[in-house]
Amino acid sequence: MTVFGDAGMPERVDTVIVGGGIIGVSAALCLAEAGQSVAVVEKGHIAGEQSSRNWGWCRQAMRDPREMDLAREALNLWRGMNARVGGDTGFTTCGTLYAARDEASLARYRRWTAHAAGAGIAAEVIEGAAVRALLPGDIDPPRRGLYCPGDGRAEPQRAVPLMAEAARRLGAHILTDCAARGVDVAGGRVVGVVTERGTIRAGRVIVAGGVWTRRILSDLGIALPQLPVRATVARTQPGFADGVRQGPLPDFLDGVFGVRRRADGGFTVANAYINSVPVIPASFRHFRAYWHLLRMEWRHVRFRLGEDFWREWRDGGPVPFDRVSPYERVRVLDPRPDRAYAEASLKALKERYPALGGLRLAQVWGGMIDATPDTVPVIAPVATIDGLVVATGFSGHGFGVGPAGGQLAADLVLGRKPLVDPTPFRLERYFDGTMPPPVYGV
């Protein structure tokens, strides 16, 4: 679904949002619903990068304990999203199942369910017939698994554009092919955003630029430890699964493949355990911050030195507002996918489900994940610049928690009671010694 940008541009609004992904669009919808004037400034098109390139899972399962409240509230928002935006986002409650193939995984899942119960998230370790009932046609189902029945799925390429159109009907300005060259600051406070079409005056700005956020903030003298991770996702041809009760019914993760059913009758498949990490100049600058995460995940990381390094080396410095910015040179970040990973995932899926043996890949794509050292996002005001809020670093699960992440950012802008406690998402945690190490899979 394509969202066409507004032809005109406002001279002044209450809030400018830099970035037209799910976080920025969700924040715009919340602000418009609150009667605020808001403009979304997107260098490419709505949901052009990771917000349309993800798995489409809307999960609470295996969230970091600091994110549990955010994930729970996001599911509540997803359940009412179709009515809210007046269209079909593809959301459905399907549950999430993580396979437990060894005792260490089982113990980790049992610990996680205890944390989840305290956050009001229903989850349990299931086994035997209960597992098999969720995986019809599986010739080698896991004996046990972590099941979170309230989780869901949605269609990324439909959901975010529908949210943007709903925000526009409420008065939001949606500006596409309009890069924000930078945030204009005077006297320690935000006064607007300079775009390639001119300046929009505003007293508040939300930077929700995904992997571009670190650069946007660095031009303001703000350090943000955030690095890109290249992920590969694929979809099979549509229609195959229509009326066929074969294949996983919930979102399902088991070793080499993660899979979800699609609204078109096909499947989205990906490899959850192999990620390509582009080596860029910032990788060396932030290496120490990522040490704990690298030590946990080194078996699943493939470092790549290539064009990303040289692009950042060339474009890393500040650019005057009257010159063409790097954001205009790369309208949509479209990294080359690792097709072999997608093919291996599909092969493993078909081996497990003989009835799906005719599945063929229809499309394989890459996306850049905005990863933080603790895999927990930053959703926070910037202490040194009045009126500036950052919402970034969702580390591969921004689509699922997007509605809540956007609402929390809007709450912070409006100064109203926040949807959840924002303390875990402070930017300062990376510098004041309060950041715990990553706890994915507690």
Side-chain angles (χ1 to χ4, degrees), residues 164-408:
E165 293 291 8
R168 176 149 55 189
R169 288 194 298 272
L170 293 170
H173 302 273
I174 306 296
L175 306 175
T176 58
D177 293 310
C178 181
R181 291 179 172 176
V183 179
D184 197 7
V185 176
R189 67 167 294 108
V190 163
V191 295
V193 169
V194 180
T195 80
E196 63 183 291
R197 297 189 205 168
T199 299
I200 305 175
R201 293 298 171 194
R204 295 170 296 199
V205 171
I206 297 174
V207 177
V211 294
W212 299 93
T213 304
R214 175 176 50 80
R215 187 205 155 83
I216 295 169
L217 295 184
S218 72
D219 287 348
L220 297 170
I222 301 164
L224 170 69
Q226 175 183 285
L227 295 176
V229 175
R230 187 176 71 187
T232 294
V233 186
R235 65 177 177 89
T236 70
Q237 79 273 28
F240 186 90
D242 270 345
V244 179
R245 298 282 288 181
Q246 299 291 316
L249 301 179
D251 299 333
F252 182 42
L253 182 67
D254 189 2
V256 75
F257 65 82
V259 61
R260 77 163 170 94
R261 290 178 175 255
R262 297 174 58 89
D264 64 10
F267 293 91
T268 292
V269 292
N271 188 319
Y273 290 105
I274 299 294
N275 289 296
S276 297
V277 177
V279 177
I280 58 177
S283 303
F284 302 96
R285 192 158 58 247
H286 296 303
F287 178 81
R288 185 173 180 180
Y290 282 83
W291 171 245
H292 287 292
L293 183 61
L294 180 61
R295 188 172 59 181
M296 289 172 57
E297 300 291 339
W298 66 270
R299 293 181 182 86
H300 310 308
V301 173
R302 303 290 183 270
F303 290 103
R304 301 289 173 87
L305 178 63
E307 60 181 342
D308 302 288
F309 183 94
W310 303 113
R311 183 172 58 243
E312 179 161 315
W313 182 274
R314 182 188 67 232
D315 296 333
V319 176
F321 288 163
D322 61 352
R323 288 173 47 191
V324 172
S325 69
Y327 317 114
E328 292 153 77
R329 289 195 283 269
V330 184
R331 292 288 178 182
V332 176
L333 192 58
D334 187 24
R336 186 180 72 249
D338 291 298
R339 188 177 180 90
Y341 296 160
E343 290 173 344
S345 299
L346 180 63
K347 181 175 182 288
L349 178 66
K350 293 196 294 185
E351 287 174 350
R352 289 273 295 279
Y353 294 89
L356 303 181
L359 280 180
R360 297 290 181 270
L361 293 180
Q363 184 184 12
V364 182
W365 62 87
M368 284 295 192
I369 293 170
D370 48 332
T372 59
D374 54 357
T375 72
V376 171
V378 173
I379 313 171
V382 174
T384 56
I385 300 178
D386 189 27
L388 182 62
V389 170
V390 178
T392 191
F394 286 80
S395 303
H397 36 80
F399 181 74
V401 299
Q407 181 169 330
L408 179 56

Side-chain angles (χ1 to χ4, degrees), residues 398-416:
F399 181 74
V401 299
Q407 181 169 330
L408 179 56
D411 291 342
L412 294 172
V413 160
L414 294 173
R416 67 187 181 188

Side-chain angles (χ1 to χ4, degrees), residues 70-250:
L70 197 70
R72 184 194 64 241
E73 294 303 322
L75 261 294
N76 290 335
L77 291 169
W78 273 117
R79 293 181 188 111
M81 191 61 69
N82 287 355
R84 185 180 180 191
V85 303
D88 183 8
T89 64
F91 179 79
T92 185
T93 299
C94 61
T96 300
L97 178 65
Y98 279 62
R101 294 280 181 179
D102 54 58
E103 293 301 318
S105 296
L106 183 64
R108 189 165 65 250
Y109 295 156
R110 291 194 190 282
R111 290 196 300 271
W112 185 87
T113 58
H115 283 275
I121 297 173
E124 60 180 325
V125 172
I126 60 174
E127 55 185 282
V131 172
R132 293 192 296 273
L134 297 173
L135 307 173
D138 193 335
I139 63 173
D140 183 27
R143 288 180 51 231
R144 295 167 293 197
L146 170 67
Y147 183 45
C148 199
D151 287 0
R153 60 176 181 253
E155 296 299 327
Q157 294 176 354
R158 291 205 325 238
V160 187
L162 284 169
M163 294 177 194
E165 293 291 8
R168 176 149 55 189
R169 288 194 298 272
L170 293 170
H173 302 273
I174 306 296
L175 306 175
T176 58
D177 293 310
C178 181
R181 291 179 172 176
V183 179
D184 197 7
V185 176
R189 67 167 294 108
V190 163
V191 295
V193 169
V194 180
T195 80
E196 63 183 291
R197 297 189 205 168
T199 299
I200 305 175
R201 293 298 171 194
R204 295 170 296 199
V205 171
I206 297 174
V207 177
V211 294
W212 299 93
T213 304
R214 175 176 50 80
R215 187 205 155 83
I216 295 169
L217 295 184
S218 72
D219 287 348
L220 297 170
I222 301 164
L224 170 69
Q226 175 183 285
L227 295 176
V229 175
R230 187 176 71 187
T232 294
V233 186
R235 65 177 177 89
T236 70
Q237 79 273 28
F240 186 90
D242 270 345
V244 179
R245 298 282 288 181
Q246 299 291 316
L249 301 179

Side-chain angles (χ1 to χ4, degrees), residues 61-74:
M62 296 309 292
R63 293 291 189 195
D64 186 291
R66 290 164 288 177
E67 281 187 303
M68 286 180 176
D69 289 344
L70 197 70
R72 184 194 64 241
E73 294 303 322

